[in-house]
Amino acid sequence: MSEPTRRLTLLTAAALLAQSAAAARAVTGTPATTDRTTDSATAVLSPADRRRRIVARANRALTKPTPYRLTRNGTTYLSKPRGDHNHLGGKNLNAYNDFNGRPWSGHFAAAMWNKRGLPAGHQSARRWRTGVGGRFHPYDPRTRPQPGDVLVWSDTDDERSGHVAVVVAVRGGTVTTVEGDTGPGGDSVTRRFHQWTDRTNSRFPGPHLAAKDFRGFTTPG
């Protein structure tokens, strides 16, 4: 076989191998690229990329069937997301809090942050403002959060407890969040729209939730 003929044969074989690999991906459903919303342990992300991934996770949580239970050691079901709500059974027993039956807005925010840069005791809403140092920003009507930040409320009758929510968009005075342990049945992942300069609570102005005092927001670490 002459040298030109041998080279042509090798090139043809390489092309056929590439076509076969593409066909195999099409049959098996193997994606051509990896899920870019999952941070690897060694990935070095820019702050903007980190925020984009947090937002992508939060939006996906609204539409993703999620495991939950109705009793602590009972059958595991998958939720059926509908629109802006993803109801997880009504018992605080779901994959975000490891089915432990406790309030889980902090667990949800931690999952959206890919469990990176969290305060110790992130299951407590209070720790999202007291355990993050300079990353917590007390409410100021002139300073709005950015997508990826976490809004923080405390309970009006007990400031040790509260609620947190992940910011997914900010347009003018409207802050859109995706948050856990709220919404229909009080046990859902839900999209909400908050007004940044709301003064329903005159002592603690800002995004309003019943029986809660808005404190500010925390930025990713």
Side-chain angles (χ1 to χ4, degrees):
M1 181 184 295
S2 66
E3 183 62 21
T5 301
R6 188 176 72 84
R7 289 179 180 175
L8 180 59
T9 300
L10 290 174
L11 289 172
T12 301
L16 289 172
L17 285 173
Q19 290 175 1
S20 297
R25 286 197 298 270
V27 171
T28 62
T30 303
T33 58
T34 57
D35 180 0
R36 296 181 61 83
T37 64
T38 301
D39 304 346
S40 72
T42 58
V44 179
L45 301 175
S46 70
D49 282 340
R50 175 116 194 267
R51 289 179 180 277
R52 279 192 287 269
R53 295 191 184 197
I54 292 169
V55 170
R57 289 189 198 99
N59 284 325
R60 191 169 62 247
L62 282 169
T63 61
K64 178 182 178 182
T66 302
Y68 71 89
R69 296 174 186 162
L70 299 178
T71 59
R72 190 174 296 274
N73 296 310
T75 302
T76 300
Y77 302 94
L78 283 179
S79 64
K80 297 178 180 179
R82 294 177 181 172
D84 285 342
H85 308 291
N86 188 358
H87 184 57
L88 303 184
K91 304 296 183 179
N92 280 359
L93 298 165
N94 60 64
Y96 292 113
N97 65 1
D98 198 25
F99 308 96
N100 66 21
R102 298 173 184 169
W104 53 278
S105 69
H107 288 285
F108 178 78
M112 300 307 100
W113 274 18
N114 205 34
K115 297 186 178 180
R116 296 177 62 184
L118 304 179
H122 62 265
Q123 64 272 16
S124 164
R126 181 185 186 185
R127 294 296 293 163
W128 286 84
R129 64 185 174 87
T130 64
V132 291
R135 290 191 287 128
F136 176 72
H137 305 275
Y139 175 72
D140 182 334
R142 300 164 297 180
T143 305
R144 288 166 171 70
Q146 299 178 49
D149 290 340
V150 168
L151 304 187
V152 185
W153 291 263
S154 61
D155 287 350
T156 298
D157 60 356
D158 184 357
E159 66 90 27
R160 293 172 298 178
S161 302
H163 181 71
V164 299
V166 179
V167 177
V168 296
V170 180
R171 295 182 177 89
T174 300
V175 178
T176 305
T177 60
V178 173
E179 43 201 275
D181 199 13
T182 188
D187 194 26
S188 299
V189 176
T190 296
R191 189 190 311 278
R192 275 182 164 158
F193 303 92
H194 300 279
Q195 296 307 307
W196 187 246
T197 55
D198 192 328
R199 296 195 63 84
T200 301
N201 183 335
S202 59
R203 185 165 173 241
F204 289 93
H208 177 67
L209 293 178
K212 296 196 180 335
D213 300 328
F214 183 65
R215 297 306 188 109
F217 64 91
T218 297
T219 59

